[in-house]
Amino acid sequence: MAAEHMADSGSDALRPVRRQVLDHFWEIAEYQDSRRLEAARGMIGELRKAQEEHAAVGKKAPAYSPEVSYAVTRLVRGLASGRKAARQGFSTVLSELLREVPAVPVEDVVTLIRENLAVSREEKGPMFGELFGYLAVVQSGRLADCPAQSLVSVFNLLQNLRKHKPYLQHIGVQAMVQVFQQVNEQTFTQHLWPLVRDELQTGWAACSPETLFLLLTVQESFPGTVDRAFLKKHWRQKEIFHKGNLESLGQVVLASATAHPNVHAVCRLILTRICEDNANFPAFWDRIVDTTLCSASHERKQLAFRFLEHAVPLLRADQISAAMSPSLLKMLINNLVYPDSFHSAAAKQLCHSLAGFVRSCSESDRQLAVLMALLHKPGTIHFDSVTKTQTVASLVGGLNADAVLEYTTWLKKVFLTGTDSDEEIKEGSIESHRRWASNQLVHIVKHPSLVRTEQRLLDVAKFLFLHAFFKVKKTIAGDPVCGESPTFPLSVESSKLAAQHFNSVLSTLGTMPSFRPDGARNSLPGTRANGDFWVYSLVQFANCLLLDQEHFEPLTPLSVEWRESWEDMLGNVEVMRTSAGKGCRVSESFQLLTLNLGVQMFTDAAQVGEILGELQTCYQKATEKKRKSAKGGAEEDEPHWVEVVVEILLSLLSRPSHLLRAVVDTVFRAVCPQLTRRALQLILDVLQPAGPDAAENHVTVEDSDEEKVWEEEDAKDRLTANGDAGSEEESESEEEEEGDDGEVDEEFKAKIKEALGKAAVPQTDDDDDDDDASSTASE
């Protein structure tokens, strides 16, 4: 018919096909999907334009333009081509052309397919082309509007073609199912049911994956035709997924592995139906997946991975735990451990899919079910380390706020009990579990993508501080931090590790943007929503532990002098808080430095006590009102308070503590506007020492203890979260200046300001009168 149409088109047939259409024929065969689809859209647009121009002439015959006729003929013939992705591209354009140009009769296309492609049933190219041609007709959605004769004709052709060669079965049966989805029940019962009835009555004895796929689809689309009575008569049970049918279902699933590496459509349909069947799901999974697939051939083992990948999004939390069974997890771990194993790629794909599911899932119990399945036996808390992947880290990074809270609670339990399960604790595993749990607690604080809540962050910091420096003599019921005590006493190593991890958490909190509603613009980093520093809340917690001798006892005995220094520090902080409340930025920075040094009293009381005394003296001088008397001359030899502060900050920079370096950075920004020449020179002397004692006086910044332990833990457990390192690397910029006279002129000050960056920008906050009185920079 199409040939007759072209012959009858008269002089129009001689009109050349526009160049834009011809060029697209080469591009729709490209391998690259984006280029192929772009060319398909371009061709459809040109052909639609050609048809509109033809219709505008007003001729009743032929119904469609010669260019459209040429395109249809060439598209049909091109389906037999094995060039690049010609078959995919040509069938896509043919389907869309039928949809966009209704003037092209479906019968014309079917006739062209039979004349050009059905010439040899022994050549693979034409056979695939014929099947893709009928599939294009089906996917155009035009069959439902065709006469019944055309519908039956196409359906019969598909039926015969899929039975001709085994490798055509899978695609052919999917095309038939798409036909079912386009017709109503009356049309199906009258015209299509007689064509498939015999196959669907064969029962389990002759059931293939394609037959079961047709049966399940017909049952779902036309339940009045395939009802319980039909199933009981021909399929033994009134329900396909009855326990009595599980063995037969298993045989069909095994047979579907011939579609490897793809998953047969019947498997997806089985999973969708069985996951909704709460009663039969456990038996189905145990018998078919665990018992059958996990112990079968390579193709069938890979099918087990794909089953889990497709099933997890459909399951409840308790079903996920059952689906991630010991057999599957052992197979998963083994294939991840050995990169050259047959299923290594499938195992990695499964892990990637699980991480994607956790990110997209909004239910915390389902998220945790996936995570805990990997961490509990036969999985391991060291899953990422053993498999050399970032699977657990990716899963943790996708948890929502509720799941993170539950995971944090579980990590605390692991730390306290020394185990991740209720099984008998093995000797030597307690320290390993505590090290891992402590490390994970730090990760969930540092992880940038996790939702951060004040209470959770504070509880983690308090928990690590408590077990770093105190012994729990008696628990406090209901307290999220002090409600439980370690099942086994903490070793010195565990307490030391908790202290290092506490410093790491405190460093993160100290550099975190303010939680205050008005934002970080009006607050220093490390500020809570109520305006308090995080470290202030932790110092208050530490003081409560010290005062509550009934429930807590310091791991290291504290002397009377220590407690006096502690009380002095607390008193000084309260005075500073009063001034800071009036908007005094200097008081706020002194408070921050004092509090952090106060925390360090638990590890280095001797040196910290001396620094705290000097710091308090500096604070008093920084906030005292300017004296109008002439006594100032007698104090010219006494260093300015900001110079002493700079010396303190420089000494703290030399300490192996990332926490103190972060604090120094924040404090220096606040006192920078108060710098004098001598203070600037102190900084210069450190950056560019001179003289015979330069090497001894030069400040060397070493890696901090918490940085070292962080690197060690990462090497042991490889539990980094999306590349988030445990500590930041600090670098010092060296400025080389000319001249040896040591004078600080205006040009030199400008270079210093350039080196300091934003820290050199004067603060715009309104300080109180005490600060104004002490602003003597560069005088």
Side-chain angles (χ1 to χ4, degrees), residues 301-309 328 331-332 343 346 350:
K301 286 181 178 179
Q302 182 162 335
L303 186 58
F305 284 153
R306 302 298 295 273
F307 259 53
L308 180 61
E309 180 181 338
L328 262 174
M331 194 166 67
L332 174 65
H343 301 298
L350 175 58

Side-chain angles (χ1 to χ4, degrees), residues 476-692:
I476 300 176
D479 191 286
V481 177
C482 310
E484 296 183 41
S485 60
T487 304
F488 302 96
L490 266 66
S491 65
V492 175
E493 290 76 14
S494 294
S495 297
K496 183 179 179 181
L497 185 66
Q500 292 166 342
H501 282 164
F502 165 75
N503 282 336
S504 185
V505 168
L506 186 55
S507 175
T508 300
L509 296 178
T511 56
M512 198 176 289
S514 174
F515 273 66
R516 291 181 63 175
D518 54 355
R521 180 179 300 178
N522 300 318
S523 306
L524 290 177
T527 309
R528 297 182 60 195
N530 61 4
D532 290 341
F533 288 116
W534 289 98
V535 66
Y536 177 76
S537 300
L538 293 170
V539 166
Q540 293 299 308
F541 174 70
N543 194 50
C544 291
L545 298 180
L546 290 170
L547 296 177
D548 191 353
Q549 299 181 12
E550 177 185 356
H551 293 88
F552 310 102
E553 177 184 349
L555 293 178
T556 302
L558 304 177
S559 63
V560 176
E561 291 79 7
W562 189 97
R563 292 182 180 272
E564 289 177 353
S565 298
W566 176 263
E567 293 295 333
D568 291 341
M569 183 272 299
L570 292 178
N572 294 336
V573 166
E574 293 305 321
V575 173
M576 296 172 188
R577 280 170 55 82
T578 302
S579 298
K582 300 177 182 178
C584 177
R585 184 54 61 90
V586 172
S587 295
E588 202 173 24
S589 60
F590 270 97
Q591 178 196 167
L592 178 62
L593 185 55
T594 301
L595 287 168
N596 278 278
L597 289 173
V599 171
Q600 299 303 311
M601 289 179 64
F602 286 91
T603 56
D604 190 5
Q607 292 189 26
V608 170
E610 181 180 349
I611 295 176
L612 282 173
E614 294 178 354
L615 197 60
Q616 177 60 19
T617 302
C618 290
Y619 174 73
Q620 292 173 352
K621 292 185 177 182
T623 56
E624 69 182 0
K625 292 185 178 181
K626 184 183 294 185
R627 298 178 181 177
K628 296 182 180 180
S629 61
K631 295 181 179 180
E635 299 180 359
E636 287 182 354
D637 295 335
E638 184 177 340
H640 192 278
W641 65 267
V642 76
E643 298 164 12
V644 179
V645 170
V646 168
E647 287 187 344
I648 292 174
L649 296 179
L650 291 172
S651 68
L652 294 178
L653 279 178
S654 66
R655 289 171 173 254
S657 172
H658 180 265
L659 168 62
L660 290 179
R661 295 177 202 167
V663 173
V664 167
D665 180 69
T666 301
V667 172
F668 182 74
R669 292 174 186 270
V671 302
C672 191
Q674 314 294 330
L675 290 181
T676 63
R677 284 186 180 182
R678 293 174 62 182
L680 287 172
Q681 190 62 50
L682 288 172
I683 299 172
L684 256 180
D685 291 342
V686 173
L687 295 175
Q688 194 176 19

